[in-house]
């Protein structure tokens, strides 16, 4: 989510149930809870993009890495970008472009607050971008749309209708594409139930849903979505930002990464769950977050929005950089590499 949307956090997150966080953008950091089995964070590198580049995703195309991220504005103005992107030859040094990968959004949506893209490559060499945007008729919610391009840089051409739009449940955000080893394709997303919290004065489910899509075009929905995981008490009002990966050795295991709590607070983290019985689960949560405030010698603050690359090793994510006056946060992009030992993930 972009920093400007913090102005409406009390609606989107239902913070009446989380008064301790209020709109404090940089509260006193909370030290990580010591745990004797907590992995170290030796592979982290960042910020590799030292600008606001929230909810990042990345894709490797012929040895060149492309990263895409949430936009930075609420109201459309000349020169604004819907989806920003950056390029790297080695996953270490990144160049932020001034181009818009998605200059037009779908006819169903209104400009501004275009969130959390993900880009996948189809078998014919073309690309699909999944993204979240506000329906023109119901702008206090988001739905998931898609756009296509012959090249990874775009420009991506949006589909005229959203892919997923469960408005009665709060809408949908944070799409992530995945292709399994058998060629089947999926899109995982978050039901944005917390956008209803202040409307009904109680907290709503925010499940992570798995939607199968056509393996050829990546956008035609196949069958009904399957719930993989939902929030529990320690997650606060939500879980979000899902990403999925499959590790084939020594035996197949599916990794489901996600963030929990409110993204402007030190409680925001990156956690994961695992399944050894297939992509549809059931998934077992790790009782130790993968990344949290205070990691990397105290450099990380509210890490979230992790995306994992094809092959399940390289990852990107964001972390709040610094205290910013007013109601703004800057979330910079970091990189890392995960290691899987059984059902335990470290980075």
């Amino acid at each position: 989510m972009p920093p400007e949307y913090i102005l409406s956090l009390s609606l989107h997150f239902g913070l009446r149930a989380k008064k301790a966080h209020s709109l404090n953008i940089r509260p006193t950091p909370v030290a990580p809870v010591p745990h004797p089995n907590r992995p170290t964070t030796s592979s982290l590198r960042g910020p590799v993009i030292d600008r606001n580049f929230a909810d990042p995703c990345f894709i490797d195309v012929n040895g060149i890495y492309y990263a895409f991220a949430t936009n930075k504005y609420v109201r459309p103005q000349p020169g604004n970008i819907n989806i920003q992107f950056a390029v790297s030859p080695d996953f270490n040094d990144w160049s932020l472009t001034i181009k818009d990968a998605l200059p037009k959004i779908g006819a169903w949506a209104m400009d501004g607050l275009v969130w959390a893209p993900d880009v996948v490559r189809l078998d014919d060499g073309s690309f699909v971008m999944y993204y979240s945007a506000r329906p023109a008729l119901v702008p206090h919610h988001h739905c998931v749309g898609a756009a296509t391009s012959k090249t990874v840089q775009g420009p991506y051409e949006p589909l005229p209708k959203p892919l997923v739009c469960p408005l009665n449940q709060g809408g949908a955000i944070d799409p992530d594409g995945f292709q399994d080893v058998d060629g089947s394709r999926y899109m995982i997303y978050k039901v944005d139930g917390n956008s209803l919290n202040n409307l009904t004065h109680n907290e709503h489910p925010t499940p992570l849903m798995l939607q199968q899509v056509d393996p050829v075009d990546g956008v035609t929905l196949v069958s009904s979505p399957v719930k993989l995981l939902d929030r529990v008490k320690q997650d606060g009002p939500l879980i979000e930002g899902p990403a999925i990966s499959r590790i084939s050795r020594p035996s197949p295991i599916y990794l489901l990464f996600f963030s929990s709590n409110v993204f402007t607070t030190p409680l925001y983290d990156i956690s994961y769950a695992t399944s050894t019985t297939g992509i549809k689960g059931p998934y077992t949560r790790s009782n130790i977050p993968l990344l949290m405030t205070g990691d990397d010698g105290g450099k990380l603050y509210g890490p979230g929005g992790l995306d994992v690359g094809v092959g399940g090793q390289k990852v990107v994510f964001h972390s709040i950089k610094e205290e910013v006056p007013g109601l703004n946060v800057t979330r910079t992009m970091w990189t890392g590499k995960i290691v899987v030992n059984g059902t335990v993930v470290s980075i």
Side-chain angles (χ1 to χ4, degrees):
M1 288 168 286
E4 292 83 351
Y5 202 54
I6 299 168
L7 292 171
S8 58
L9 272 178
S10 60
L11 172 64
H12 185 78
F13 286 115
L15 291 186
R16 292 181 183 177
K18 304 288 289 182
K19 289 182 180 178
H21 302 317
S22 184
L23 287 176
N24 190 351
I25 301 309
R26 187 78 174 190
T28 301
V30 175
V33 177
H35 194 290
N37 298 320
R38 191 151 190 278
T40 61
T41 53
S42 59
S43 75
L44 298 184
R45 183 182 177 92
V48 296
I49 298 179
D50 199 17
R51 299 276 297 275
N52 195 51
F53 203 80
D55 308 316
C57 74
F58 80 98
I59 185 171
D60 176 356
V61 180
N62 301 325
I64 304 296
Y65 298 92
Y66 300 84
F68 302 81
T70 281
N71 74 9
K72 301 181 291 183
Y73 71 95
V74 176
R75 297 176 181 85
Q77 297 177 5
N80 281 334
I81 291 175
N82 285 321
I83 296 296
Q84 52 184 331
F85 77 96
V87 183
S88 172
D90 55 12
F91 203 64
N92 293 322
D93 298 315
W94 292 84
S95 298
L96 183 62
T97 75
I98 60 172
K99 297 179 180 179
D100 191 343
L102 184 67
K104 296 185 299 181
I105 56 177
W108 58 273
M110 63 186 298
D111 287 333
L113 300 177
V114 183
W115 294 349
D118 191 51
V119 172
V120 298
R121 190 176 192 177
L122 300 178
D123 294 343
D124 66 1
S126 64
F127 298 86
V128 172
M129 175 185 287
Y130 305 112
Y131 65 95
S132 310
R134 297 177 294 172
L137 299 179
V138 194
H140 54 285
H141 294 301
H142 274 69
C143 294
V144 170
T148 61
S149 174
K150 295 295 185 182
T151 65
V152 65
Q153 303 99 322
Y156 285 80
E157 184 67 27
L159 301 185
K161 296 181 180 180
L163 295 188
V164 178
C165 198
L167 291 175
N168 62 331
Q169 300 175 65
I173 62 172
D174 296 348
D176 181 72
F178 174 73
Q179 184 175 30
D180 213 340
V181 291
D182 63 358
S184 58
R185 288 188 179 274
Y186 301 87
M187 179 189 66
I188 185 172
Y189 61 92
K190 170 213 174 183
V191 173
D192 202 24
N194 50 286
S195 67
L196 298 171
N197 287 357
N198 267 17
L199 301 177
T200 61
H201 306 294
N202 62 294
E203 294 188 343
H204 289 73
T206 61
L208 307 181
M209 307 296 293
L210 181 74
Q211 173 65 65
Q212 189 168 0
V213 295
D214 184 270
V216 176
D217 64 22
V219 296
T220 301
L221 306 188
V222 177
S223 68
S224 299
V226 176
K227 183 172 75 171
L228 300 185
L229 204 68
D230 204 345
R231 65 179 182 86
V232 295
K233 184 176 181 180
Q234 63 262 34
D235 295 321
L238 58 86
I239 55 175
E240 62 186 9
I244 201 164
S245 182
R246 182 185 191 272
I247 303 297
S248 300
R249 53 189 189 278
S251 58
I253 180 172
Y254 290 85
L255 309 175
L256 174 59
F257 299 95
F258 60 94
S259 293
S260 62
N261 285 288
V262 178
F263 79 100
T264 56
T265 74
L267 296 180
Y268 205 60
D269 61 16
I270 297 170
S271 296
Y272 67 94
T274 58
S275 170
T276 58
T277 56
I279 192 170
K280 296 181 181 179
Y283 283 82
T284 302
R285 288 167 167 260
S286 168
N287 59 5
I288 309 172
L290 180 66
L291 289 171
M292 58 195 299
T293 293
D295 280 346
D296 199 29
K299 296 177 183 177
L300 293 188
Y301 189 97
L306 181 141
D307 186 51
V308 58
V310 175
Q313 185 182 35
K314 293 183 174 70
V315 300
V316 298
F317 63 95
H318 71 243
S319 175
I320 294 177
K321 176 183 176 182
E322 59 189 351
E323 183 174 354
V324 179
L327 295 177
N328 290 301
V329 291
T330 296
R331 291 174 287 171
T332 59
M333 191 178 89
W334 290 58
T335 63
K337 294 182 180 180
I338 61 171
V339 176
V340 182
N341 184 8
T343 59
V344 176
V345 182
S346 59
I347 189 169

